[in-house]
Amino acid sequence: MQQLAAAIRRHAESLVDQYDARLGTMAGYSRLPETTRRELERHVLDLIALCLEVADSNALVQYVQKRASQWVAMGLDLAWFQQALIIPEDILVPLIDSAEASTFLWRALNRSQSAVWQMVAERAHEAEQALRQSQQLLQMVMDNIPQAIFWKDKDLVYLGCN
């Protein structure tokens, strides 16, 4: 694993170029300033190298969770963010020198992706709950007002009434 970490550090510039090129194909990424993009990409690769050196992926997972939370706060799509975590595995494959390093890298990136998918699932659950509460409130209002209410779809087909 030390050899893979050293190879990542040795080839950092070309790896960042590859990472940036792959991310550049994803909608919206090119709107970020180039220096910001490259710093983020370099940081992810540095964290991967560090995790390989210490044989512990927690730093990468924590960083991904922190960045994903910031992503959410900015109102951006977490599914996109999760997709961006697949790229390092692809660009690092040619540098892998052992099954141990390959397994560690795959597990570290998988844990990171899982953390993001957990956040996606939590957000979807929260949205479902909010929708359910909104629907219940609307139903309660409609059931208790003295006026007759009905609604139609865009083709003027009746969909319901109180």
Side-chain angles (χ1 to χ4, degrees), residues 25-77:
T25 64
M26 298 174 76
Y29 192 72
S30 60
R31 289 192 305 247
L32 289 173
E34 181 179 357
T35 54
T36 302
R37 291 191 326 252
R38 294 183 69 80
E39 286 172 14
L40 291 171
E41 296 153 359
R42 183 179 319 284
H43 191 68
V44 168
L45 292 170
D46 285 344
L47 273 173
I48 290 170
L50 174 68
C51 289
L52 284 160
E53 291 166 347
V54 298
D56 183 359
S57 61
N58 287 330
L60 178 63
V61 173
Q62 289 170 356
Y63 174 75
V64 166
Q65 287 173 322
K66 176 183 162 191
R67 292 293 300 163
S69 295
Q70 292 169 344
W71 207 255
V72 168
M74 293 186 295
L76 300 171
D77 184 17

Coordinates of all heavy atoms in Angstrom, one line a residue, residues 25-77:
T25 N -16.6 16.4 -17.6 CA -17.7 15.9 -18.4 C -19.0 15.9 -17.7 O -20.0 15.7 -18.3 CB -17.3 14.5 -18.9 OG1 -17.3 13.6 -17.8 CG2 -16.0 14.5 -19.7
M26 N -18.9 16.1 -16.4 CA -20.2 16.1 -15.6 C -20.8 17.5 -15.6 O -20.1 18.5 -15.4 CB -19.9 15.6 -14.2 CG -19.3 14.2 -14.2 SD -18.8 13.6 -12.6 CE -20.4 13.3 -11.8
A27 N -22.1 17.5 -15.8 CA -22.8 18.8 -15.9 C -22.5 19.7 -14.6 O -22.6 19.2 -13.5 CB -24.3 18.6 -16.0
G28 N -22.2 20.9 -14.9 CA -22.1 21.9 -13.8 C -20.7 22.0 -13.2 O -20.4 23.0 -12.6
Y29 N -19.9 21.0 -13.4 CA -18.6 21.0 -12.7 C -17.7 22.1 -13.3 O -16.9 22.8 -12.6 CB -17.9 19.7 -12.8 CG -16.7 19.6 -11.9 CD1 -16.8 19.5 -10.5 CD2 -15.4 19.6 -12.4 CE1 -15.7 19.4 -9.7 CE2 -14.3 19.5 -11.6 CZ -14.5 19.4 -10.2 OH -13.4 19.3 -9.4
S30 N -17.8 22.3 -14.6 CA -16.9 23.3 -15.2 C -17.2 24.7 -14.8 O -16.4 25.6 -15.0 CB -17.0 23.2 -16.8 OG -18.4 23.4 -17.2
R31 N -18.3 24.9 -14.1 CA -18.6 26.3 -13.6 C -17.8 26.7 -12.4 O -17.7 27.8 -12.1 CB -20.1 26.4 -13.3 CG -21.0 26.4 -14.5 CD -22.4 26.8 -14.2 NE -23.0 26.0 -13.1 CZ -24.0 25.1 -13.3 NH1 -24.5 25.0 -14.5 NH2 -24.4 24.4 -12.3
L32 N -17.2 25.7 -11.8 CA -16.3 26.0 -10.6 C -15.0 26.5 -11.2 O -14.5 26.1 -12.2 CB -16.0 24.7 -9.8 CG -17.1 24.1 -9.0 CD1 -16.7 22.8 -8.4 CD2 -17.5 25.1 -7.9
P33 N -14.4 27.5 -10.5 CA -13.1 28.0 -11.0 C -12.1 26.9 -11.0 O -12.1 26.0 -10.2 CB -12.7 29.0 -9.9 CG -14.0 29.4 -9.2 CD -14.9 28.2 -9.3
E34 N -11.2 26.9 -12.0 CA -10.2 25.9 -12.2 C -9.3 25.6 -11.0 O -9.1 24.5 -10.6 CB -9.3 26.2 -13.4 CG -8.4 25.0 -13.7 CD -7.5 25.3 -14.9 OE1 -7.7 26.3 -15.6 OE2 -6.6 24.5 -15.2
T35 N -8.9 26.7 -10.4 CA -8.0 26.5 -9.2 C -8.8 25.8 -8.1 O -8.2 24.9 -7.4 CB -7.5 27.8 -8.7 OG1 -8.6 28.7 -8.4 CG2 -6.5 28.5 -9.7
T36 N -10.0 26.1 -7.9 CA -10.8 25.4 -6.9 C -11.0 24.0 -7.2 O -10.9 23.1 -6.3 CB -12.2 26.1 -6.8 OG1 -12.1 27.5 -6.4 CG2 -13.1 25.4 -5.7
R37 N -11.3 23.7 -8.5 CA -11.5 22.3 -8.9 C -10.2 21.5 -8.6 O -10.2 20.4 -8.0 CB -11.8 22.2 -10.4 CG -13.2 22.7 -10.8 CD -13.5 22.4 -12.2 NE -12.4 22.3 -13.1 CZ -12.2 23.2 -14.1 NH1 -13.0 24.3 -14.2 NH2 -11.2 23.1 -14.9
R38 N -9.1 22.0 -9.1 CA -7.8 21.3 -9.0 C -7.4 21.1 -7.5 O -6.9 20.1 -7.1 CB -6.8 22.0 -9.8 CG -7.1 21.9 -11.3 CD -6.0 22.5 -12.1 NE -4.8 21.7 -12.1 CZ -4.5 20.6 -12.8 NH1 -5.5 20.1 -13.6 NH2 -3.4 20.0 -12.8
E39 N -7.7 22.1 -6.6 CA -7.4 21.9 -5.2 C -8.2 20.8 -4.6 O -7.7 20.0 -3.8 CB -7.6 23.3 -4.5 CG -6.6 24.3 -4.7 CD -7.0 25.7 -4.2 OE1 -7.9 25.7 -3.3 OE2 -6.3 26.7 -4.5
L40 N -9.5 20.8 -5.0 CA -10.4 19.7 -4.4 C -9.9 18.4 -4.9 O -9.9 17.4 -4.1 CB -11.8 20.0 -4.8 CG -12.5 21.2 -4.2 CD1 -13.9 21.4 -4.9 CD2 -12.7 21.0 -2.7
E41 N -9.6 18.3 -6.2 CA -9.2 17.0 -6.7 C -7.8 16.5 -6.1 O -7.7 15.4 -5.7 CB -9.0 17.1 -8.2 CG -10.3 17.4 -8.9 CD -10.2 18.2 -10.3 OE1 -9.0 18.5 -10.7 OE2 -11.2 18.4 -10.9
R42 N -6.9 17.5 -6.0 CA -5.6 17.2 -5.4 C -5.8 16.7 -3.9 O -5.2 15.8 -3.4 CB -4.7 18.4 -5.4 CG -3.3 18.1 -4.9 CD -2.4 19.3 -5.0 NE -2.4 20.0 -6.2 CZ -1.9 19.7 -7.4 NH1 -1.3 18.5 -7.5 NH2 -2.1 20.5 -8.4
H43 N -6.7 17.4 -3.2 CA -7.0 17.1 -1.8 C -7.5 15.6 -1.7 O -7.1 14.9 -0.8 CB -7.9 18.1 -1.1 CG -8.0 17.9 0.3 ND1 -6.9 18.2 1.2 CD2 -9.0 17.5 1.1 CE1 -7.3 18.0 2.4 NE2 -8.5 17.5 2.4
V44 N -8.4 15.2 -2.5 CA -8.9 13.9 -2.5 C -7.8 12.9 -2.7 O -7.7 11.9 -2.0 CB -10.1 13.7 -3.5 CG1 -10.5 12.2 -3.6 CG2 -11.3 14.5 -3.0
L45 N -7.0 13.1 -3.7 CA -5.9 12.2 -4.0 C -4.9 12.2 -2.9 O -4.4 11.1 -2.6 CB -5.2 12.6 -5.4 CG -6.1 12.4 -6.6 CD1 -5.5 13.0 -7.8 CD2 -6.5 11.0 -6.8
D46 N -4.6 13.3 -2.3 CA -3.7 13.3 -1.2 C -4.2 12.5 0.0 O -3.5 11.8 0.7 CB -3.4 14.8 -0.7 CG -2.5 15.5 -1.6 OD1 -1.8 14.9 -2.4 OD2 -2.4 16.8 -1.5
L47 N -5.6 12.7 0.2 CA -6.2 11.9 1.3 C -6.1 10.4 1.1 O -5.9 9.6 2.0 CB -7.6 12.4 1.5 CG -7.8 13.5 2.4 CD1 -9.3 14.0 2.4 CD2 -7.4 13.2 3.9
I48 N -6.3 10.0 -0.2 CA -6.2 8.6 -0.5 C -4.8 8.1 -0.3 O -4.7 7.0 0.3 CB -6.7 8.4 -2.0 CG1 -8.2 8.6 -2.2 CG2 -6.3 7.0 -2.5 CD1 -8.6 8.6 -3.6
A49 N -3.8 8.9 -0.7 CA -2.5 8.5 -0.4 C -2.2 8.4 1.1 O -1.6 7.4 1.6 CB -1.5 9.5 -1.0
L50 N -2.7 9.4 1.9 CA -2.5 9.3 3.3 C -3.1 8.1 3.9 O -2.6 7.4 4.8 CB -3.1 10.6 3.9 CG -3.1 10.6 5.5 CD1 -1.6 10.7 6.0 CD2 -3.9 11.8 6.0
C51 N -4.4 7.8 3.5 CA -5.1 6.6 4.0 C -4.3 5.3 3.7 O -4.3 4.4 4.5 CB -6.5 6.6 3.4 SG -7.6 7.9 4.1
L52 N -3.8 5.3 2.5 CA -3.0 4.1 2.2 C -1.7 4.0 3.1 O -1.4 2.9 3.5 CB -2.5 4.2 0.7 CG -3.6 3.9 -0.3 CD1 -3.2 4.4 -1.7 CD2 -3.9 2.4 -0.4
E53 N -1.1 5.1 3.3 CA 0.1 5.1 4.2 C -0.2 4.7 5.6 O 0.6 3.9 6.2 CB 0.7 6.5 4.2 CG 1.3 6.9 2.9 CD 1.7 8.4 2.8 OE1 1.2 9.2 3.6 OE2 2.4 8.7 1.8
V54 N -1.3 5.1 6.1 CA -1.6 4.7 7.5 C -2.6 3.5 7.6 O -2.9 3.1 8.7 CB -2.2 5.9 8.3 CG1 -1.2 7.0 8.4 CG2 -3.5 6.4 7.7
A55 N -3.0 3.0 6.5 CA -3.9 1.8 6.4 C -5.2 2.1 7.2 O -5.7 1.2 7.9 CB -3.2 0.6 6.9
D56 N -5.7 3.3 7.0 CA -7.0 3.7 7.7 C -7.7 4.6 6.8 O -7.2 5.7 6.4 CB -6.7 4.3 9.0 CG -7.9 4.6 9.8 OD1 -9.1 4.4 9.3 OD2 -7.8 5.2 10.9
S57 N -8.9 4.3 6.4 CA -9.7 5.2 5.5 C -10.6 6.2 6.1 O -11.3 6.9 5.5 CB -10.5 4.3 4.5 OG -11.5 3.5 5.3
N58 N -10.6 6.3 7.5 CA -11.4 7.2 8.2 C -11.3 8.7 7.7 O -12.3 9.4 7.6 CB -11.3 7.1 9.7 CG -11.9 5.8 10.2 OD1 -12.9 5.3 9.6 ND2 -11.3 5.2 11.2
A59 N -10.1 9.1 7.5 CA -9.9 10.5 7.1 C -10.6 10.8 5.8 O -11.2 11.9 5.6 CB -8.4 10.8 7.0
L60 N -10.5 9.9 4.8 CA -11.2 10.1 3.6 C -12.7 10.1 3.8 O -13.4 11.0 3.2 CB -10.8 9.0 2.6 CG -11.5 9.1 1.2 CD1 -11.1 10.4 0.5 CD2 -11.1 7.9 0.4
V61 N -13.2 9.2 4.5 CA -14.7 9.1 4.7 C -15.2 10.4 5.4 O -16.2 11.0 5.1 CB -15.1 7.8 5.5 CG1 -16.5 7.8 5.9 CG2 -14.7 6.6 4.7
Q62 N -14.4 10.8 6.4 CA -14.8 12.0 7.2 C -14.8 13.3 6.3 O -15.7 14.1 6.3 CB -13.9 12.3 8.4 CG -14.2 11.2 9.5 CD -13.1 11.3 10.6 OE1 -12.2 12.0 10.5 NE2 -13.3 10.5 11.6
Y63 N -13.8 13.4 5.4 CA -13.7 14.5 4.5 C -14.9 14.5 3.5 O -15.5 15.5 3.3 CB -12.4 14.4 3.7 CG -12.3 15.5 2.6 CD1 -12.1 16.8 2.9 CD2 -12.4 15.1 1.3 CE1 -12.0 17.8 2.0 CE2 -12.4 16.1 0.3 CZ -12.2 17.4 0.6 OH -12.1 18.4 -0.4
V64 N -15.2 13.3 3.0 CA -16.3 13.2 2.0 C -17.6 13.6 2.7 O -18.4 14.3 2.1 CB -16.3 11.7 1.4 CG1 -17.6 11.5 0.7 CG2 -15.2 11.5 0.5
Q65 N -17.8 13.1 3.9 CA -19.0 13.5 4.7 C -19.1 15.0 4.9 O -20.2 15.6 4.7 CB -19.1 12.8 6.0 CG -19.4 11.3 5.9 CD -19.3 10.6 7.2 OE1 -18.4 10.8 8.0 NE2 -20.2 9.6 7.4
K66 N -18.0 15.6 5.2 CA -18.0 17.1 5.4 C -18.3 17.8 4.1 O -19.1 18.7 4.1 CB -16.6 17.5 6.0 CG -16.4 18.9 6.1 CD -14.9 19.2 6.6 CE -14.6 20.7 6.3 NZ -13.2 20.9 6.5
R67 N -17.6 17.4 3.0 CA -17.8 18.0 1.7 C -19.3 17.8 1.3 O -19.9 18.7 0.7 CB -16.8 17.5 0.7 CG -15.4 17.9 1.0 CD -15.1 19.4 0.8 NE -15.5 19.8 -0.5 CZ -15.7 21.1 -0.9 NH1 -15.6 22.0 0.0 NH2 -16.0 21.4 -2.1
A68 N -19.8 16.6 1.5 CA -21.2 16.3 1.1 C -22.1 17.2 1.8 O -23.1 17.7 1.3 CB -21.5 14.9 1.2
S69 N -21.9 17.4 3.1 CA -22.8 18.3 3.9 C -22.7 19.7 3.4 O -23.7 20.4 3.3 CB -22.3 18.3 5.4 OG -22.5 17.0 5.9
Q70 N -21.5 20.2 3.0 CA -21.4 21.5 2.4 C -22.1 21.6 1.1 O -22.8 22.6 0.8 CB -19.9 21.9 2.2 CG -19.1 22.1 3.5 CD -17.6 22.1 3.3 OE1 -17.1 21.8 2.2 NE2 -16.9 22.6 4.3
W71 N -22.0 20.5 0.3 CA -22.7 20.4 -1.0 C -24.2 20.6 -0.8 O -24.9 21.3 -1.5 CB -22.4 19.0 -1.6 CG -22.4 18.9 -3.0 CD1 -23.4 18.3 -3.8 CD2 -21.5 19.4 -4.0 NE1 -23.1 18.4 -5.1 CE2 -21.9 19.0 -5.2 CE3 -20.3 20.0 -3.8 CZ2 -21.2 19.3 -6.4 CZ3 -19.5 20.3 -5.0 CH2 -20.0 20.0 -6.2
V72 N -24.8 19.8 0.2 CA -26.2 19.9 0.5 C -26.6 21.4 1.0 O -27.6 21.9 0.5 CB -26.6 18.9 1.7 CG1 -28.0 19.2 2.2 CG2 -26.5 17.5 1.1
A73 N -25.7 22.0 1.8 CA -26.0 23.3 2.3 C -26.1 24.3 1.1 O -26.8 25.3 1.2 CB -24.9 23.8 3.3
M74 N -25.3 24.0 0.0 CA -25.4 24.9 -1.1 C -26.5 24.5 -2.1 O -26.7 25.2 -3.1 CB -24.1 24.8 -1.9 CG -22.9 25.4 -1.2 SD -21.3 25.5 -2.1 CE -21.0 23.8 -2.4
G75 N -27.3 23.5 -1.7 CA -28.4 23.1 -2.5 C -28.1 22.3 -3.8 O -28.8 22.2 -4.7
L76 N -26.9 21.7 -3.7 CA -26.4 20.9 -4.9 C -26.8 19.4 -4.8 O -27.1 19.0 -3.7 CB -24.9 21.1 -5.1 CG -24.5 22.6 -5.3 CD1 -23.0 22.7 -5.2 CD2 -25.0 23.1 -6.6
D77 N -26.8 18.8 -5.9 CA -27.2 17.4 -6.0 C -26.1 16.4 -5.4 O -25.0 16.3 -5.9 CB -27.5 17.0 -7.4 CG -28.1 15.7 -7.7 OD1 -28.5 15.0 -6.7 OD2 -28.0 15.2 -8.8

